[in-house]
Amino acid sequence: MQPFTYEALPARVIFGAGTLARIGDEVRALGCKRALVLSTPEQRGMAEDLAARLGPLSAGIFAEATMHTPVEVTQRAMEALRALGADCTVAIGGGSTTGLGKAIALRTDLPQIAIPTTYAGSEATPILGETEGGKKTTQRTLKVLPEVILYDVDLTLSLPPGLSATSGMNAIAHSVEALYARDGNPITSAMAEQGIAALARALPRIMRDPTDREARSDALFGAWACGVCLGTVGMSLHHKLCHTLGGSFDLPHAQTHTVVLPHATAFNAPAAPDAMARIARALGAADAATGLFDLARGMDAPTALRDLGMPEHGLDRAADLATANPYWNPRPVERAAIRALLDDAWHGRRPGG
């Protein structure tokens, strides 16, 4: 056994069905009395139901969370927080809402509860990505890690199959990169493989029957496991590319991860054979990169950047941005190779095809 360092993240995790009924107790356990409920505009109804459940513990609702956590949206949320006298936040929804809760915590140190309704996994990480002026920056700090994560399988039953697929592929990306991370360790690697396997097993079943509760439970567990991996080790090329494409070209987050993942995996495959073997084993596939591509394609998930609205003329700029600042990756990051990777992803070519 090689020496390693593993740092567990200090968060309380509640997992099950019907767990939303415990939200009032969790707010009180944090010593809070006025929770600001956060959501996207599309999930306002869910936020209103949650606020009603909280009763006098609810300070109000801010339903303007949006993709990539724009700084200007966070500033409006901060104004609402102060005006309502809130002493904590409860974020219900996917990565956009979780990101807003984290952005508020960064600025206030107020406790936060995350209630995920997708498989993004960001609720399990001390990582925050924010956009300002068309650029996305990320930082890692325990200040943004939610104190409580409340997983309720019932809340995922209404997640449309298409969003389930891309959200799940987004989660798998966290574990893929964890398996070849520079600061990887056997604990995180075991969890990464388990997370990929749970999602790869569950997602096709969800596509066939969105009400399959066992599949929904497996997917939600897998998303948590993958999120923990993202939170405990560093990420590399795949996440750099997705942050560049999302922040600079306003591409949808989960869909971008879905498209880029097979190509980033193929790029790194020669430099990380052990990781590739574990990914392939978790997928039940002969090859990691093609297994990921075929999983996405089999669910009718997007496989080409051009279908997400990425302009072909933007590929050069994306390659420039993705290679502008040095960062660790198992295979050296060179502009020509990254430009070729992006071209494959733009056209939706099957890796190795």
Side-chain angles (χ1 to χ4, degrees):
M1 177 67 70
Q2 294 293 319
F4 68 90
T5 300
Y6 172 73
E7 187 171 347
L9 298 174
R12 173 175 166 82
V13 177
I14 301 158
F15 189 99
T19 54
L20 192 62
R22 299 169 57 174
I23 184 60
D25 291 339
E26 295 302 322
V27 170
R28 284 186 284 266
L30 290 173
C32 299
K33 298 179 179 179
R34 293 184 60 79
L36 178 62
V37 178
L38 307 174
S39 78
T40 62
E42 295 79 9
Q43 293 182 301
R44 172 177 278 277
M46 190 175 286
E48 290 172 347
D49 290 344
L50 178 58
R53 187 184 290 269
L54 283 168
L57 291 172
S58 171
I61 296 169
F62 183 84
E64 297 180 32
T66 193
M67 192 168 58
H68 306 307
T69 320
V71 169
E72 59 268 23
V73 174
T74 300
Q75 290 170 344
R76 293 199 298 272
M78 291 290 297
E79 293 169 3
L81 182 94
R82 297 188 186 100
L84 294 167
D87 58 6
C88 69
T89 62
V90 179
I92 185 165
S96 298
T97 308
T98 300
L100 178 58
K102 288 180 172 185
I104 293 171
L106 178 69
R107 292 160 172 79
T108 65
D109 255 346
L110 291 180
Q112 54 175 324
I113 298 174
I115 306 175
T117 61
T118 71
Y119 307 128
S122 60
E123 68 280 352
T125 78
I127 301 169
L128 170 65
E130 297 181 283
T131 51
E132 185 174 18
K135 293 189 67 175
K136 187 167 187 176
T137 58
T138 62
Q139 59 180 302
R140 181 183 291 259
T141 169
L142 285 176
K143 288 181 68 173
V144 306
L145 182 71
E147 280 74 10
V148 179
I149 312 170
L150 195 153
Y151 291 104
D152 190 333
V153 175
D154 293 344
L155 296 178
T156 66
L157 293 174
S158 60
L159 184 65
L163 291 179
S164 298
T166 55
S167 180
M169 292 296 295
N170 179 16
I172 287 174
H174 309 330
S175 281
V176 166
E177 292 228 288
L179 283 167
Y180 52 66
R182 177 170 51 176
D183 52 351
N185 59 78
I187 300 170
T188 299
S189 293
M191 187 172 284
E193 190 171 346
Q194 186 178 19
I196 294 171
L199 282 158
R201 180 174 64 245
L203 292 174
R205 291 170 57 193
I206 291 170
M207 298 304 292
R208 292 191 295 269
D209 179 9
T211 65
D212 185 333
R213 298 178 68 87
E214 184 178 352
R216 289 290 190 181
S217 181
D218 283 350
L220 197 57
F221 171 79
W224 171 72
C226 293
V228 170
C229 294
L230 174 63
T232 54
V233 297
M235 298 288 108
S236 305
L237 174 65
H238 169 78
H239 282 77
K240 175 68 172 182
L241 287 175
C242 290
H243 288 159
T244 296
L245 293 168
S248 298
F249 299 93
D250 200 32
L251 300 189
H253 182 80
Q255 291 89 333
T256 302
H257 276 272
T258 301
V259 171
V260 171
L261 181 59
H263 302 284
T265 302
F267 179 91
N268 281 325
D274 292 342
M276 298 302 140
R278 297 186 74 156
I279 296 163
R281 181 170 63 198
L283 292 169
D287 175 77
T290 56
L292 290 165
F293 185 90
D294 292 344
L295 175 61
R297 185 170 60 179
M299 297 186 293
D300 290 326
T303 55
L305 288 175
R306 62 184 176 188
D307 295 335
L308 304 183
M310 176 68 189
E312 188 173 14
H313 65 76
L315 296 179
D316 284 321
R317 178 170 174 246
D320 290 339
L321 291 170
T323 55
N325 298 309
Y327 53 92
W328 187 87
N329 189 66
R331 176 182 167 184
V333 176
E334 299 172 347
R335 191 209 180 267
I338 297 306
R339 179 62 174 80
L341 183 164
L342 289 168
D343 191 71
D344 286 341
W346 191 84
H347 284 94
R349 301 184 182 107
R350 186 173 186 263

